[in-house]
């Protein structure tokens, strides 16, 4: 009886959702802005972050030198994909 109770308590502590959860990331890197001098490394950094996240099982959307409309669309697409229990990251 005590073993069953201990097993039930242990199983209650084990989260079931992470194994079933999807992982999504939206990564944005902009080097080119209309009113600023060009940046040097934002696109490279975003590309590296996207690759690292993909290696960790994330489905990544990478936007580079994206305008307002593309970023808004990217955020909307990310929001539409995620479900309760999923992981979502915006970089």
């Amino acid at each position: 009886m005590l073993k069953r109770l201990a097993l039930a308590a242990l199983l209650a502590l084990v989260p079931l959702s992470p194994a079933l959860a999807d992982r999504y990331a939206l990564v944005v890197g902009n080097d080119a802005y209309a009113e600023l001098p060009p940046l040097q490394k934002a696109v490279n950094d975003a590309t590296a972050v996207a690759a690292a996240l993909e290696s960790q099982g994330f489905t990544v959307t990478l936007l580079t030198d994206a305008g307002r409309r593309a970023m808004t669309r990217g955020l909307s697409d990310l929001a539409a994909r995620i479900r309760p229990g999923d992981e979502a990251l915006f970089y």
Side-chain angles (χ1 to χ4, degrees), residues 6-42:
L7 180 60
L10 180 61
L11 289 176
L13 295 175
V14 175
L16 298 176
S17 60
L20 303 175
D22 290 318
R23 303 173 93 188
Y24 300 104
L26 173 62
V27 179
V28 179
N30 287 344
D31 281 340
Y33 289 93
E35 299 172 12
L36 295 172
L39 299 176
Q40 300 296 315
K41 299 179 182 177

Side-chain angles (χ1 to χ4, degrees), residues 21-88:
D22 290 318
R23 303 173 93 188
Y24 300 104
L26 173 62
V27 179
V28 179
N30 287 344
D31 281 340
Y33 289 93
E35 299 172 12
L36 295 172
L39 299 176
Q40 300 296 315
K41 299 179 182 177
V43 170
N44 289 343
D45 291 348
T47 302
V49 167
L53 290 170
E54 285 176 342
S55 75
Q56 296 300 311
F58 280 84
T59 300
V60 177
T61 301
L62 173 63
L63 302 177
T64 58
D65 293 325
R68 183 177 180 171
R69 183 173 289 165
M71 285 191 277
T72 300
R73 188 177 318 116
L75 282 168
S76 294
D77 290 348
L78 177 65
R81 292 175 118 181
I82 57 176
R83 300 287 177 247
D86 287 348
E87 295 179 38

